[in-house]
Amino acid sequence: MTRAASGVAAAACLAAAVGLHAAQDARVSAPVVDRPDLLYVRSPAAMRRAALGYHGFAADVYWIRALQHFGRERLAPPGHARTYALLYPLLDLTTSLDPYFSIAYRFGAIFLGEPYPGGPGRPDLAVALLQKGLAEQPQKWQYMQDLGFVYYWHMRDWQTAASWFQRASDVPGAPSWLRPLAAVTLAEGGHRSASRTLWQQLAQSEEAWLRDSAGLRLRQLDAMDAIDALESRIARYRDGHPNEPLTWPGLVAARVVPGVPVDSSGVPLVLDPSSGRVTVAPESKLFPLPGQKPDSGS
Amino acid sequence: MNAARFVAMAVFRESIRDRVFYNLVLFAVLLVGASILIGQLTAGQDVKIIKDLGLSATSLFGLFISIFVGINLVSKEVERRSVYPLFAKPVRRAEFVVGKYAGLLLTLLVNVVVMTVALYTVLFFLARGVPGNIQRAWDAPALDPALLEAIALIYVDLALVTALAVLFSTYSSPMLSAVFTLGLYVVGQFNADLKRFDEIVSSPAAAWIGKACYYVLPDFARFDVKLAVVHGIPVSAGYLAWTTMYAAVYIAALLFGACVIFSRRDFK
């Protein structure tokens, strides 16, 4: 066979392979296997050795894996059992390989404590990760602020949260708003205004994902304010009409509300006909609101 | 030393002929490709990751060149019997060994310099257009001159690896030389563990041997300041000077050893 004929044969075979590939994609779908992510090395000590002198690069690889794992679990279809099982091990490996990888600690602080289905609901692991970061950098006020945040938002321990905000404010170079935040947390722990102050500070962050998360929380707080106002008007109407089942069309007709109320993501709010309680719908981007059961949708 | 310079230039020309610098193309593709893709994957950590990637690739590519070119430097000449006509000329064996070493060092220098320029160029384009408030939140600026400290120590580290490879190349086969050099490089990464050997063994003799190995074996972990530099943690001039001095003396010892071994080989 001549060289030219061999070249033509190679090109023809490659073209056939491409054609078969495309045809298979169009006609036969590959079996979908919903298998959990795997993590072969879980020991930070072993990984530190295996990485030789390339700790920074290995940490970057685990950081990207942590983001992908979190994103895949969070955006998984409803049939998928979201476990976020690898989020902490991956962040632990990342921060063991690169103990100064601040964003990995802060990412863990925000999302490890996030209740299911938005996160694994493990504020204890968020605290452990941040304590590890503080052991490496004891003067990092951002980690203390994040610890205060985890205790405040996820663990509802206002006393400990305030003490962390106070400690953060004592670090030289820490921003001036931390001291009043500590005072507000202590005085108004659990109040919505204190939560709003906390999230407004986090919304000033340079990190886009942190700003997005804070923006969502602030919209949730706005929704909770709006729901309170609605519930109080509905309660007043109910006092005058005790046996009437409550529906949005009925309330609109009675001019209790001007129209079916929607949340900031444009999804109508859900009204419980018997109790008159209002909440966001499960399909809303704001679902679940703090304190709302994620599985019930009410 | 004219002969050594002649040998060094011959090694450099040979490395060009052997397409050693093709790795630079791979390096450039890796960096540019990563800088395009990585912004979508890293939640705002692209500059840090490009720095890590650039420094690691500089070190890793250099390591491969040091080992796989270094182990052939002397042994290939012996195998091909090209040393015979060379030693018929007024070239001393020590000059031959030092020239070979210097030639590879020159190749590595060109390699590292081009990689450094490529890294700074990619970082420049990556940081361009990023708002000032976000740049201020970075641990270190994108075009941080301190990166040069890490790169300088990578080069010193490669110089030491090359000296090891040349030493083994003077008396061993390329395969064994690669195994010895790579083995010592890996052991040198864990040197600190040898120093603390007494914490896990009860035998004073074993602890003493561990400590002796710590001081005698090359401490490659000492040259790694990549993580510190990427996070803007200062590396003192004293540290750089001591580490470079340590490497220079160690390299001198290895090259003297290589010259002694090579001068005792019988080529008749």
Side-chain angles (χ1 to χ4, degrees), chain A residues 109-151:
Chain A
I110 298 290
F111 293 115
L112 277 169
E114 186 89 354
Y116 190 83
R122 293 294 304 271
D124 55 323
L125 295 179
V127 169
L129 196 66
L130 287 164
Q131 295 278 19
K132 182 180 161 192
L134 265 184
E136 289 292 338
Q137 292 173 281
Q139 293 297 302
K140 191 95 175 169
W141 61 262
Q142 289 92 338
Y143 297 162
M144 298 176 198
Q145 180 203 344
D146 290 344
L147 272 164
F149 159 79
V150 174
Y151 278 107

Side-chain angles (χ1 to χ4, degrees), chain A residues 100, chain B residues 55 139-140 144-154 221-244:
Chain A
Y100 299 99
Chain B
L55 293 175
D139 286 342
D144 189 3
L147 283 175
L148 294 174
E149 294 168 359
I151 292 167
L153 283 189
I154 287 172
R222 197 168 284 269
F223 304 106
D224 181 19
V225 293
K226 296 193 285 288
L227 215 54
V229 161
V230 167
H231 288 292
I233 297 165
V235 180
S236 72
Y239 183 86
L240 290 174
W242 274 101
T243 310
T244 308

Side-chain angles (χ1 to χ4, degrees), chain A residues 85-110:
Chain A
L86 297 188
L87 186 58
Y88 178 74
L90 284 167
L91 290 173
D92 188 30
L93 280 166
T94 304
T95 52
S96 297
L97 287 162
D98 183 350
Y100 299 99
F101 208 145
S102 304
I103 209 68
Y105 295 110
R106 306 202 72 194
F107 187 85
I110 298 290

Side-chain angles (χ1 to χ4, degrees), chain A residues 49 52-57 59-60 63-64 67-68 97-103 140 206-207 209 211, chain B residues 41-43 45 48-49 52-53 56 59-60 133-134 137 139 185-186 189-190 193 224 226-227 231 233:
Chain A
R49 281 165 195 282
L52 294 178
Y54 304 97
H55 294 165
F57 182 64
D60 297 339
W63 166 241
I64 292 171
L67 291 178
Q68 287 180 329
L97 287 162
D98 183 350
Y100 299 99
F101 208 145
S102 304
I103 209 68
K140 191 95 175 169
E206 288 81 16
E207 304 300 336
W209 59 266
R211 284 199 304 274
Chain B
L41 299 171
T42 61
Q45 297 303 295
K48 185 239 182 230
I49 290 178
D52 281 333
L53 181 65
S56 297
S59 164
L60 208 57
N133 63 324
I134 292 181
D139 286 342
Y185 180 77
V186 172
Q189 297 290 339
F190 306 126
D193 294 346
D224 181 19
K226 296 193 285 288
L227 215 54
H231 288 292
I233 297 165

Side-chain angles (χ1 to χ4, degrees), chain A residues 96-288:
Chain A
S96 297
L97 287 162
D98 183 350
Y100 299 99
F101 208 145
S102 304
I103 209 68
Y105 295 110
R106 306 202 72 194
F107 187 85
I110 298 290
F111 293 115
L112 277 169
E114 186 89 354
Y116 190 83
R122 293 294 304 271
D124 55 323
L125 295 179
V127 169
L129 196 66
L130 287 164
Q131 295 278 19
K132 182 180 161 192
L134 265 184
E136 289 292 338
Q137 292 173 281
Q139 293 297 302
K140 191 95 175 169
W141 61 262
Q142 289 92 338
Y143 297 162
M144 298 176 198
Q145 180 203 344
D146 290 344
L147 272 164
F149 159 79
V150 174
Y151 278 107
Y152 183 95
W153 188 256
H154 294 306
M155 299 170 108
R156 306 194 177 272
D157 179 349
W158 330 123
Q159 198 79 30
T160 313
S163 77
W164 277 112
F165 291 138
Q166 184 65 45
R167 274 183 68 177
S169 72
D170 291 340
V171 176
S176 54
W177 50 259
L178 272 168
R179 201 172 295 276
L181 182 63
V184 166
T185 305
L186 211 52
E188 301 180 21
H191 288 203
R192 219 168 276 161
S193 62
S195 301
R196 197 180 296 278
T197 310
L198 187 59
W199 284 113
Q200 278 167 344
Q201 293 304 338
L202 289 171
Q204 310 292 320
S205 164
E206 288 81 16
E207 304 300 336
W209 59 266
L210 194 49
R211 284 199 304 274
D212 291 348
S213 184
L216 172 71
R217 294 305 190 185
L218 286 169
R219 287 203 304 281
Q220 283 184 324
L221 293 173
D222 290 342
M224 289 162 82
D225 284 348
I227 286 170
D228 282 354
L230 274 173
E231 283 182 344
S232 118
R233 283 156 76 180
I234 292 165
R236 277 201 302 274
Y237 174 77
R238 216 170 152 214
D239 287 344
H241 310 77
N243 298 322
E244 194 177 308
L246 297 165
T247 62
W248 287 128
L251 292 171
V252 172
R255 300 191 176 196
V256 177
V257 288
V260 177
V262 293
D263 62 31
S264 63
S265 64
V267 178
L269 294 172
V270 175
L271 172 66
D272 185 70
S274 52
S275 68
R277 292 205 58 188
V278 179
T279 188
V280 293
E283 56 272 24
S284 166
K285 284 182 182 164
L286 305 184
F287 180 84

